Amino acid sequence: MMNSQAQIFKNTQKRIILVSIGTLRTALPYFFSMAWPFVIFELMNKGTWGECVDTLLIVNLIAHILGWGTKKHLLKKFDLMPDKISESWLENIHSRTLLWVPFSFFILISPFSFLMKIGILLMLTGKCTYESYEPLIEYKEKYTHAIIAELIGFTVGFSLIISIYQKNFMSYEWVILCMGLGEFFRAFVLIFSFREIKYKINVRYINLNFFIQAYSYFIMGFATLLLYIADRVFVYISFSNIVKAEYQIFMNFLIFVVSVPNLLLIPFFKNYYKSRIKIDKKLQLSITLLGVTLTPAIIYSIYVACRYIYSIELSLSFILAGIFYIFPTFIYTPYALKLINKNKYINIAIVTFIAAASVALACSYLVKIKGVIGGLIGAAMGQWILMILIIVLDFQSQSEKKIKLIK
């Protein structure tokens, strides 16, 4: 009995450590994405980072398309066919190359400078390669591999920026190139870490059905991405580089807070698609109360970080709009998880597209009359609209279930 209890305690300890490492691993990419603007602010100025944000917006949009729901699709396949992990992975990477080739061609013939083209290609290649290994990291729980890759990738990029800055010819194009090299080395570390899976070039691994199989995961993520960038498009085309830089940093803080519930849940579920998260009214109420309690503290922490780390002064209107942006996620996240458990990816994508379109329409008007705060107000409106639509979607799902039971 004592040995059994000791074993349970030991297993629990191991799981807590693993979950902690997994949480650190999911938070590190965000931490380094926020470290880049700090470095550029300190070495150069806000305007230089403001010149970078347009390119980063385009790169992230293309990278999501090239990813095409890879992580969720592969995790499902790994669960269903654990004896064919290598083949599933090779099929995924070969199939997605069909997307990478035309995008790379268009970048090469684009009007960007040679330096920018190389930087963008390195960044896209690094991001897509890294994303290919993410399902392996999650499934095999090799979080330390990802942490090491993150540290080495950022260190390489940071070292190159320092070296170039000391030679006095730094520009935003060099910043993109250094970040691209950092992404490339981050991916290279994972390639070296997962040597048990051998990369083979063979056309038999190309499977066009992959794009259909992973479509629902891709389209939900794509809709979410559009929701997060719709306001930025209007702000970026309307204001100076300094304003763009400050807006990007503040919004990145808010988006991280919105994604925190999912980031915390991921490490708990190795068998991602066989695990079911039980969502009941008690948990929904707990998360809502957590939102009410934490939102003021979170927004104050963001205010302190913006002021003392990035030298950004936030007005009261920005703080209030930030609160309205954050709060809905504590209400709609449980409903969204229930719908995901029922494989309602397309349904979630549709309501998210509607919310994204509402943000775009609101910002097209509000940015003109309210200035930069108009972009944040429009983004906050989108969160509340998404919250209402997801609750309605959940209500419809419950009604369908009751009708089936009656029949």
Side-chain angles (χ1 to χ4, degrees), residues 271-326:
N271 218 356
Y272 194 85
Y273 286 88
K274 291 181 182 178
S275 299
R276 286 293 179 261
I277 308 166
K278 187 178 180 182
I279 306 294
D280 53 24
K281 291 183 179 180
K282 184 177 179 181
L283 180 58
Q284 289 174 338
L285 180 60
S286 297
I287 294 176
T288 302
L289 292 175
L290 187 67
V292 173
T293 306
L294 290 183
T295 297
I298 289 169
I299 205 70
Y300 179 74
S301 300
I302 293 173
Y303 168 79
V304 171
C306 285
R307 181 174 184 179
Y308 295 103
I309 297 177
Y310 298 98
S311 300
I312 298 172
E313 292 292 338
L314 298 175
S315 65
L316 180 61
S317 57
F318 256 82
I319 294 171
L320 292 174
I323 291 173
F324 277 97
Y325 184 93
I326 290 171

Side-chain angles (χ1 to χ4, degrees), residues 56-66 222 225-226 229:
L56 295 175
L57 187 69
I58 295 170
V59 167
N60 288 330
L61 184 61
I62 295 174
H64 182 83
I65 296 172
L66 297 181
F222 187 68
L225 179 62
L226 291 182
I229 68 173

Side-chain angles (χ1 to χ4, degrees), residues 1-14:
M1 183 68 178
M2 291 295 292
N3 289 335
S4 176
Q5 288 180 339
Q7 187 63 40
I8 293 172
F9 179 73
K10 188 176 181 180
N11 291 337
T12 303
Q13 278 188 318
K14 286 182 178 179

Side-chain angles (χ1 to χ4, degrees), residues 123-193:
M123 198 175 291
L124 281 175
T125 304
K127 282 180 177 290
C128 291
T129 305
Y130 185 90
E131 188 168 358
S132 299
Y133 283 94
E134 276 203 288
L136 294 172
I137 294 168
E138 293 293 339
Y139 191 78
K140 295 178 178 291
E141 297 185 330
K142 293 191 175 182
Y143 302 127
T144 52
H145 289 23
I147 291 172
I148 292 169
E150 292 287 349
L151 292 170
I152 291 176
F154 179 78
T155 302
V156 168
F158 176 74
S159 301
L160 288 170
I161 281 184
I162 295 296
S163 177
I164 293 170
Y165 176 74
Q166 290 174 343
K167 295 179 180 178
N168 296 319
F169 55 88
M170 176 62 76
S171 68
Y172 84 96
E173 294 175 330
W174 282 103
V175 173
I176 296 296
L177 179 63
C178 292
M179 291 180 71
L181 285 166
E183 288 283 353
F184 187 81
F185 273 91
R186 182 178 73 147
F188 181 79
V189 172
L190 286 186
I191 294 172
F192 182 78
S193 300

